């Protein structure tokens, strides 16, 4: 009977609490509530961490005007629909689902809530949908530049590229990197290993070790976190090109450079447009000239000459005198993919499933 | 008879109260942890409750989360009743999704009532096949189904990845690994204009069906004999192996319904990350419910609430997801720790529930 | 990249030894635990807490040795907790194991938040003198780290203790016939507490191997299912440490092989290659079980059963 009493007290307590909480939920109106959703932990020093930094930047840049929330570790499945619905029920009016795989659930939620604005990272939204926009920096541009650096620095002409899954975004990156690499070093090759997971550090370490043993002297990666590959490379005296975060301090001997996101200013720009009611749907891609993606610092082993060459490429990309995916481009089987003089359009980029010559590995799907 | 019913009722009431007390203890222990890390436990718990059962929308989301857990839990239970431990419901869920997807994308019908049953059959066949392999290995050469079902989960997951990155990739939109979208008629009906779908009806229906069949039919009787004492069943010339293989097939088929309803009602296509471990959660739900079909339904809804409350926790209390894992673990610890006491209170024999797991391990070479 | 086939195979085998080691520790630990009659399927959670504790203590003290010891202690404590629930509370052991996995995942993720990305000292590799000079065998087995070498001693040692010593006899008696053991004056419960704690300590060490030697840092869910694999490998091994070694090497070898086949440019879907470890273990298990079909069962008779002393 004691149990019953306790149970009644607890239940009563819970109901009371519910009322108190729902009472306090109303009230604040002038503030724009902004919600972020990440697929992994926000402290991964990688992809999700970068978005969290962006959110913090947004919160501090527009004090009093926005209230931001982040929900982490939401799988790219039906779960994310629930999270978005709850955000909306909590008054969130601008949602950033930051992972590519959230797109389909977002389409469904957006359909149900025409008054809420959704900003998807990547993917292509059809024209008839009025409350979704997609955004992403062209991270393949700095990828091209880091390819140049790797091409100048490699002695064995073999580069290892560790990836999670062979999706178009990553294939873009591999191709851009290889194009940059071979623009200065036509004999160099890129060897791709896929770990079948965005985050599995022990397997990443073994993949790195395997690549090193088979004769690569530069490693790069497209994973949720670059840390394991960078650390493993440093341990075995191999150079690395990083991603997501500047890890120069971590790998003083082997660090070359890397690609980084700069979400903060982009999130401020988007949020401002929503606040001013100037926001428009569409598919937005930002090059290096916009400053939302950049090179991380050069490692001390990179000679000034190579650094200058890389920076030259950056400025060429910025003034569009250099375009990464510009024809003629053939895939590694010799088939023409982008005709002479043509520049790859959004659809070509977002559905890229072919590899340029110089890439070796298991990615070929067709 | 009347006193027997009274006895039953009293037992059920005591069991419920005991479980509630256990949960309360878990909340208290976690409260200490929360206080230690500087959070207000009351606020946190209200957040979870609010997110899980606070209003009709939250409750509907709890049911959505509970559906696959329920079906997986029932799948585990069906095998367990005949002494087979099916740790592979996660994989069977994925195979069910594969089967349903194949039908949805390749069979061209004009009406839902033609396509949906066929998708269901496709899912059940694939899921049943996936659990048939470990079953047949077990009864013919004695390979432990525990390890084979477990390992086949990983294979199933990779199989889905292979299909969506390769042969089944959406030909019109290859920007993300997934199959083409299903036709509109392949969508399982939703209930009450929420995301709750027919899957939960399957779950409750199957639970009721077995709750009725097990104690009343001859097959149910034989199953209970095999489950509690396979040697005696063998001695009584029951076809133990045949029963066990069929139990595994049905078990896999039921778990496959979870995959079918997820792709059909929720996703509308096959993608990776379809299940964030529903199979494993279902396994736990089955054990907490002590393989009782009706109890599995209730436990699944409670666990669904905990999962669904978790993201509200992140939203309102700004606590990381791990907090929910800690609380969940604590609740299960406390429930398991108090189980024997409750058993002692409610009945004389207290070994019964604990002898089921090891029997499986013991019977193989 | 043109490397000799022999070089390739040696590299694969060396990778096999590394990949197998964390799983092997957990498997060996679980063999000890299960031999005493306690079933601990919560290795995944224990390995995670071990992996985290190893990193946290190494970061605080700058000593990998202390980190490893701390990981073992963390595993030991969780093992004691498991034993407490299984023995004193007579809780369902499978259930406790699953709860342990969930709890360990949450606890390590919560406490580990501040340690993600922290740079730590890691377990160094060193070649064993003389032994590492042996062709083929040397680079495969004797150019790793202390924890790998320790398994070469630990496997025969555990087998010897279980099969040949009085201690092992006690352990087996408790796992097979607890009541007879009690009648012979053995403290069944104490033996089980110790066995579970030791087993979990080894699992904690296996977790620490992942974070301190392999990935060189903490990240959430670093085990990625390896604890479950270890539970499976115990069945594969029929509670025999030598067979555990074979099982773990089989599994590790398949992982190592598939990653290196990719690096060598083999044109097969990585997902099909990824199935290799699991398919291989099922196949080998089926073949070996079929061959030993009439051999007596090696399962500890009292495994997973609560021990209720006769009154």
């Amino acid at each position: 009977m004691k149990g019953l009493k306790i149970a009644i007290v607890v239940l009563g307590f819970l109901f009371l609490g519910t009322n108190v909480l729902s009472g306090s939920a109303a009230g604040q109106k002038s503030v724009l509530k902004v919600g972020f959703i990440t697929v992994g932990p926000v402290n991964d020093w990688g992809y999700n961490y970068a978005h969290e930094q962006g959110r913090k930047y947004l919160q501090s840049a527009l004090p009093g005007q926005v209230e931001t929330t982040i929900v982490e570790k939401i799988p790219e499945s039906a779960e994310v629909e629930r999270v978005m619905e709850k955000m909306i029920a909590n008054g969130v009016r601008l949602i950033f689902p930051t992972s590519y795989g959230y797109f389909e659930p977002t389409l469904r939620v957006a359909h149900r809530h025409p008054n809420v604005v959704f900003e998807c990272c990547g993917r292509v939204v059809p024209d008839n949908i009025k409350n979704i926009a997609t955004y992403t920096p062209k991270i393949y541009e700095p990828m091209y530049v880091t390819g140049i650096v790797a091409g100048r620095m490699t002695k064995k002409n073999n580069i290892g590229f560790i990836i999670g899954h062979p999706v178009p975004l990553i294939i873009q990156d591999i191709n851009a990197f290889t194009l940059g690499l071979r623009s200065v070093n036509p004999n160099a090759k890129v060897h791709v290993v896929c770990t079948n997971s965005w985050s599995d550090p022990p397997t990443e370490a073994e993949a790195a070790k395997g690549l090193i043993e088979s004769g690569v002297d530069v490693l790069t990666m497209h994973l949720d976190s670059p840390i394991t590959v960078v650390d493993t490379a440093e341990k075995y005296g191999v150079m690395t090109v990083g991603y997501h975060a500047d890890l120069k301090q971590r790998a003083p001997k082997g660090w070359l450079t890397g690609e980084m996101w700069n979400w903060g200013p982009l999130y401020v720009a988007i949020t401002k447009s929503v606040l001013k009611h100037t926001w428009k749907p569409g598919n937005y891609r930002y090059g290096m000239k916009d400053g939302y993606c950049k090179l991380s610092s050069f490692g001390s082993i990179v000679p000034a000459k190579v650094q200058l060459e890389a920076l030259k490429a950056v400025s060429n990309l910025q003034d569009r005198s250099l375009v990464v995916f510009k024809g003629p481009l053939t895939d590694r089987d010799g088939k023409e993919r982008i005709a002479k003089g043509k520049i790859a359009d959004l659809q070509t980029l977002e559905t890229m499933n072919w590899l340029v010559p110089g890439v070796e590995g298991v990615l070929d799907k067709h | 008879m009347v006193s027997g019913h009274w006895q039953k009722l009293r037992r059920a009431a005591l069991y419920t109260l005991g479980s509630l007390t256990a949960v309360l203890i878990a909340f208290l222990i976690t409260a200490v942890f929360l206080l230690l890390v500087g959070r207000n436990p009351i606020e946190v718990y209200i957040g979870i409750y609010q997110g899980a059962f606070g209003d009709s929308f939250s409750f509907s989301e709890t049911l959505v989360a509970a559906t696959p857990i329920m079906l997986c839990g029932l799948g585990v239970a069906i095998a367990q009743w005949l002494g087979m431990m099916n740790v592979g419901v996660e994989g069977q869920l994925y195979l069910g999704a594969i089967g349903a997807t194949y039908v949805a994308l390749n069979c061209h019908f004009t009406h839902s009532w033609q396509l949906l049953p066929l998708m269901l059959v496709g899912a059940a066949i694939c899921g049943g096949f996936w659990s048939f392999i470990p079953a047949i290995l077990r009864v013919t050469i004695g390979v432990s189904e525990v390890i084979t079902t477990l390992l086949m989960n990983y294979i199933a997951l990779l199989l889905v990845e292979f299909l969506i990155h390769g042969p089944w990739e959406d030909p019109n939109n290859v920007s993300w690994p997934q199959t083409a979208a299903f036709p509109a008629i392949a969508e399982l009906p939703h209930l009450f204009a929420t995301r709750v779908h027919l899957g939960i009806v399957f779950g409750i229906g199957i639970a009721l069906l077995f709750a009725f069949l097990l104690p009343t039919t001859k097959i149910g009787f034989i199953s209970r004999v095999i489950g509690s004492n396979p040697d005696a069943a063998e001695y009584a010339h029951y076809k133990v192996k045949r029963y066990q293989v069929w139990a595994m097939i049905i078990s896999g088929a039921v778990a496959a319904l979870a995959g079918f309803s997820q792709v059909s009602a929720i996703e509308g296509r096959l993608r990776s990350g379809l299940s964030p471990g529903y199979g494993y959660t279902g396994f736990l739900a089955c054990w907490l419910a002590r393989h009782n079909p009706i109890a599995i339904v209730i436990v699944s809804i409670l666990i669904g609430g905990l999962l669904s409350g978790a993201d509200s926790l992140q939203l309102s209390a700004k606590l990381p997801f791990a907090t929910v894992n800690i609380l969940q673990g604590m609740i299960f610890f406390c429930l398991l720790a108090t189980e024997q006491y409750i058993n002692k209170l409610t009945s004389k024999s207290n070994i019964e529930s604990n002898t089921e797991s090891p029997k499986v391990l013991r019977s193989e070479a | 990249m043109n490397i000799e086939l022999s070089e390739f195979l040696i590299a694969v085998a060396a990778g096999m030894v590394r990949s197998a080691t964390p799983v092997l520790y957990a498997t060996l630990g679980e063999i000890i635990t299960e031999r005493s009659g306690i079933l601990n399927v919560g290795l995944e959670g224990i390995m995670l807490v071990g992996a985290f504790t190893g990193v946290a203590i190494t970061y605080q003290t700058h000593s990998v040795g202390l980190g490893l010891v701390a990981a073992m202690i963390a595993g030991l404590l969780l093992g004691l907790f498991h034993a407490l629930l299984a023995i004193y509370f007579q809780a369902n052991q499978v259930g406790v194991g699953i709860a342990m996995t969930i709890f360990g995942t949450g606890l390590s993720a919560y406490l580990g938040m501040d340690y993600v990305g922290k740079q730590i000292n890691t377990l160094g590799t060193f070649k064993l003198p003389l032994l590492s000079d042996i062709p083929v065998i040397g680079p495969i087995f004797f150019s790793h780290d202390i924890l790998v070498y320790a398994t070469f001693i630990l496997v025969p040692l555990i087998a010897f203790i279980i099969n040949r010593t009085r201690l092992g006899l006690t352990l087996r008696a408790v796992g097979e016939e607890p009541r007879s053991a009690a009648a012979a004056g053995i403290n069944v419960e104490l033996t089980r507490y110790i066995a579970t704690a030791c087993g979990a300590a080894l699992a904690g060490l296996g977790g620490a191997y992942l974070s301190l030697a392999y990935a060189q840092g903490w990240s959430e869910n670093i085990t990625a299912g390896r604890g479950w694999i270890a539970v499976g490998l115990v069945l594969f091994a029929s509670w025999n440490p030598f067979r555990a070694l074979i099982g773990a090497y089989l599994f590790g070898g398949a992982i190592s092989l598939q990653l290196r086949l990719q690096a060598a440019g083999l044109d097969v879907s990585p997902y099909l290659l990824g199935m290799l470890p699991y398919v291989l273990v099922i196949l080998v298990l089926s073949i070996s079980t079929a061959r030993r079909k009439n051999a007596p069962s090696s399962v500890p008779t009292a495994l997973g059963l609560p021990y209720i002393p006769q009154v």
Side-chain angles (χ1 to χ4, degrees), chain A residues 131-190:
Chain A
N131 57 338
I132 302 181
T134 68
Y135 67 96
T136 196
K138 296 172 183 166
I139 197 76
Y140 61 81
E141 290 191 349
M143 273 277 178
Y144 183 91
V145 181
T146 59
I148 293 175
V149 176
R152 287 289 180 215
M153 297 302 293
T154 179
K155 291 183 184 66
K156 298 183 179 174
N157 287 346
N158 284 311
I159 319 289
F161 204 127
I162 301 172
I163 64 167
H165 294 279
V167 297
L169 170 77
I170 277 117
I171 293 175
Q172 266 177 40
D173 285 356
I174 296 171
N175 283 342
F177 182 85
T178 311
L179 289 172
L181 176 81
R182 307 252 288 193
S183 73
V184 297
N185 186 348
N187 296 321
K189 283 188 168 155
V190 172

Side-chain angles (χ1 to χ4, degrees), chain A residues 41 43 45 73 158 165-166 191 193-194 196 200-203 205-206 209-210 213-214 227 231-232 235 250 362, chain C residues 1 11 15 18-19 113 116-119 210 213-216 219-220 222 226 259-260 262-263 266-268 270-271:
Chain A
N43 59 351
W45 277 70
K73 289 194 252 179
N158 284 311
H165 294 279
H191 304 266
V193 171
C194 175
N196 300 352
D200 181 358
T203 305
E206 191 58 43
K209 189 87 191 342
E213 282 165 353
S214 59
I227 285 180
D231 284 355
T232 310
K235 186 173 168 182
R250 239 182 136 90
V362 297
Chain C
M1 285 180 285
R18 271 194 306 273
S19 304
M113 277 189 296
V116 177
K118 285 277 191 299
Q119 215 164 359
L210 284 174
Y214 227 134
Q216 306 153 63
S219 68
E220 267 181 42
I222 192 171
R226 287 171 181 83
L259 289 173
R260 281 170 178 78
Q262 287 194 48
L266 185 74
D267 207 3
V268 175
Y271 301 105

